[in-house]
Amino acid sequence: MRVILAAMPSARYTSLLAEELAPEVLERFTRYVRIDTQSRRERTSSPSTRGQLELGRMLVEELRAVGLHDAELDENGYVMATLPARDAATLAIGLIAHLDTSPDAPGHGVEPIVHRDYDGGAIELPTGETKLDPATMPELAEKRGHDLVTARGDTLLGADDKAGVAEIMTALSHLAAHPGLPRPMLRVAFTPDEEIGEGASLFDLERFGAQCAYTLDGSDLGELQDETFSALEATVTIHGVDVHPGFATGKLISALRLAAKVVAALPDDLTPERTSGRDGFIHPYELTATAATARLRAILRDFDEERLQAHVELLERTVRDVLATAPRARYELDVTRQYRNMRTYLEAVPEVTAAAEAAIRAEGIEPIRTPIRGGTDGSRLSEMGLPTPNIFTGGHEYHSVREWASLQEMAAAAATIVRLAEVWSQPGNDGAAADEVRAARASS
Ligand SMILES: [Zn+2]
């Protein structure tokens, strides 16, 4: 067994194309991650932070340099550009990645470190006592022989989503340099503020003009996602009766205590930490309370709309049951939609996901179809009329100081984009599929 492991090739590329693209992917990636593009939740303008504009401007210049002459950064921080089709086709396919990084871990001063030919052991990062341990990170354990990129241990890496940005840039530069390769018109968009849920908000679909698109914002090799959570946010406001504690006997109704009882009465097995796969949850994430008023904010998630509604009813029933013990207390429940499972929209245009599946297979990878326990730009774009499934990037442990990426997987993703262009150029995948996509868009 040992002998076999030692004889494994050190560079585990999925294809010669991936191996050819790897140096450019790495060069771009390690440059992009150094720019602090962390988004900020309290947003007063788009983008929420200036660093995203800096990266946007840099990408516009680089897109123009490889031949996408119409590249532009708009006033809201969206980069768009076109790689024309090889021949006069009407089909336009979109490629999307986001410029910002998560506000959930430090994003300033990212210094990428390349660990060549990973030996399969634990990786100690130089700062922050951060350790990447294959014993607790099963995906890492599989990457023996890969070249891995990490940060220094005290910041995120930003593979989410600069891996996607670097892969799209590299694929476009390769296609532009090889005009003989088959391709439809490719439209690229780099979006701001995805991590704070605003990536699709000011996305100009008309201007983008693609029939469908792909986000490069997934994780492990081969992932192809056409299903996300359906997402609601609920705010429960409880009004108690506040009385000076010295005169409170029989009069005071504490909203704070009622809210605490509501949280305690919600089922233990319906939480993010106790669910997985296709199960949804109710996740109270903020409680602000006084004796007079309590406000409980929760996110509700499920892949199924009916079950999502059942979570809303369960939350309301729990509030009512608790408040039944305090008849003079009142409550309001406010529920708002955040995004909807994109499968609802992608089912109508099976060609879109099928093309990505064919491209991943053409790269020699078996597609992994996992539902996303979250949302992507694609969730809202699909709802807005642009069918947009999500493809892997080779980045892992997102939103943390342990974030890492595999160069071999990033190169595979770049190669998959080149193959995707070829799939969309095949006869029969041209007119009919595009029309169906358009028809679905018009009727939605
Ligand atoms: Zn992302």
Side-chain angles (χ1 to χ4, degrees):
M1 194 62 187
R2 264 190 185 180
V3 178
I4 295 169
L5 284 176
M8 276 183 179
S10 64
R12 309 171 94 190
Y13 288 101
T14 45
S15 71
L16 284 173
L17 174 62
E19 188 158 12
E20 183 189 340
L21 298 179
E24 185 174 338
V25 172
L26 184 63
E27 186 278 323
R28 289 185 183 279
F29 178 66
T30 49
R31 225 157 22 81
Y32 301 156
V33 297
R34 288 174 191 273
I35 302 170
D36 176 4
T37 62
Q38 192 167 47
S39 48
R40 201 176 49 218
R41 289 208 171 80
E42 302 74 33
R43 128 166 161 156
T44 50
S45 63
S46 176
S48 62
T49 52
R50 311 218 32 100
Q52 299 182 62
L53 291 175
E54 190 189 329
L55 178 58
R57 276 192 291 269
M58 181 192 261
L59 293 171
V60 165
E61 271 176 38
E62 294 182 10
L63 285 163
R64 288 184 182 160
V66 300
L68 282 72
H69 302 292
D70 68 343
E72 243 179 22
L73 174 68
D74 76 13
E75 68 277 16
N76 297 314
Y78 291 70
V79 174
M80 286 192 188
T82 313
L83 184 66
R86 190 176 63 165
D87 26 64
T90 52
L91 181 68
I93 302 298
L95 299 168
I96 300 171
H98 61 89
L99 297 163
D100 64 319
T101 56
S102 166
D104 294 338
H108 184 68
V110 174
E111 278 186 54
I113 303 173
V114 182
H115 310 256
R116 293 280 178 190
D117 196 6
Y118 171 55
D119 66 4
I123 300 175
E124 307 246 7
L125 298 181
T127 56
E129 293 178 9
T130 306
K131 190 166 135 184
L132 276 60
D133 190 348
T136 54
M137 297 160 78
E139 287 177 357
L140 182 62
E142 297 158 13
K143 310 303 184 229
R144 182 192 291 260
H146 285 218
D147 302 318
L148 305 183
V149 189
T150 66
R152 288 174 53 82
D154 53 356
T155 66
L156 47 69
L157 173 62
D160 179 10
D161 188 21
K162 284 159 186 166
V165 174
E167 289 152 11
I168 291 173
M169 291 295 294
T170 302
L172 289 174
S173 124
H174 180 81
L175 286 165
H178 297 81
L181 290 175
R183 61 172 197 241
M185 181 194 288
L186 293 172
R187 287 283 284 153
V188 55
F190 297 124
T191 59
D193 290 342
E194 190 269 356
E195 297 289 1
I196 57 167
E198 302 285 358
S201 306
L202 296 165
F203 193 106
D204 188 340
L205 280 190
E206 286 309 309
R207 191 173 143 234
F208 194 53
Q211 278 87 4
C212 66
Y214 300 86
T215 47
L216 273 284
D217 195 15
S219 182
D220 208 13
L221 184 76
E223 271 180 6
L224 169 59
Q225 295 153 327
D226 61 353
E227 223 185 325
T228 56
F229 272 145
S230 278
L232 301 176
E233 167 148 22
T235 305
V236 180
T237 309
I238 298 174
H239 304 278
V241 178
D242 196 12
V243 180
H244 185 288
F247 309 95
T249 313
K251 293 179 189 152
L252 174 74
I253 312 249
S254 167
L256 183 152
R257 293 180 65 89
L258 291 171
K261 283 182 186 172
V262 168
V263 175
L266 287 169
D268 278 338
D269 56 0
L270 208 61
T271 59
E273 63 271 31
R274 297 280 287 275
T275 52
S276 60
R278 286 181 181 279
D279 297 327
F281 54 73
I282 300 174
H283 178 45
Y285 70 92
E286 189 183 285
L287 175 59
T288 48
T290 62
T293 313
R295 191 184 64 168
L296 173 65
R297 300 174 74 183
I299 55 170
L300 285 65
R301 298 289 187 260
D302 212 295
F303 291 97
D304 180 86
E305 281 295 321
E306 276 177 30
R307 288 204 315 249
L308 187 62
Q309 280 314 314
H311 298 330
V312 176
E313 283 154 29
L314 174 61
L315 176 63
E316 180 151 34
R317 201 163 59 240
T318 306
V319 174
R320 272 205 311 266
D321 288 352
V322 168
L323 265 62
T325 63
R328 284 185 299 140
R330 290 181 297 112
Y331 79 94
E332 289 131 30
L333 172 65
D334 183 37
V335 179
T336 55
R337 165 76 62 181
Q338 292 178 303
Y339 53 86
R340 201 179 283 269
N341 187 344
M342 64 162 120
R343 186 178 188 139
T344 322
Y345 309 100
L346 291 173
E347 266 171 355
V349 285
E351 293 82 359
V352 176
T353 308
E357 208 167 331
I360 292 171
R361 286 222 164 85
E363 183 51 26
I365 308 162
E366 183 57 28
I368 306 169
R369 302 288 296 274
T370 47
I372 308 175
R373 292 177 67 77
T376 66
D377 270 351
S379 325
R380 283 184 61 208
L381 291 173
S382 297
E383 186 168 11
M384 286 157 65
L386 181 70
T388 308
N390 188 37
I391 295 176
F392 72 95
T393 63
H396 301 262
E397 297 275 328
Y398 284 171
H399 303 192
S400 83
V401 294
R402 296 173 309 280
E403 192 183 5
W404 58 278
S406 153
L407 174 58
Q408 279 67 24
E409 293 184 353
M410 290 195 285
T416 298
I417 298 170
V418 175
R419 316 236 181 240
L420 186 64
E422 183 178 352
V423 170
W424 275 111
S425 306
Q426 281 158 5
N429 226 354
D430 210 11
D435 287 342
E436 197 166 328
V437 175
R438 261 190 232 104
R441 186 170 161 186
S443 71
S444 69

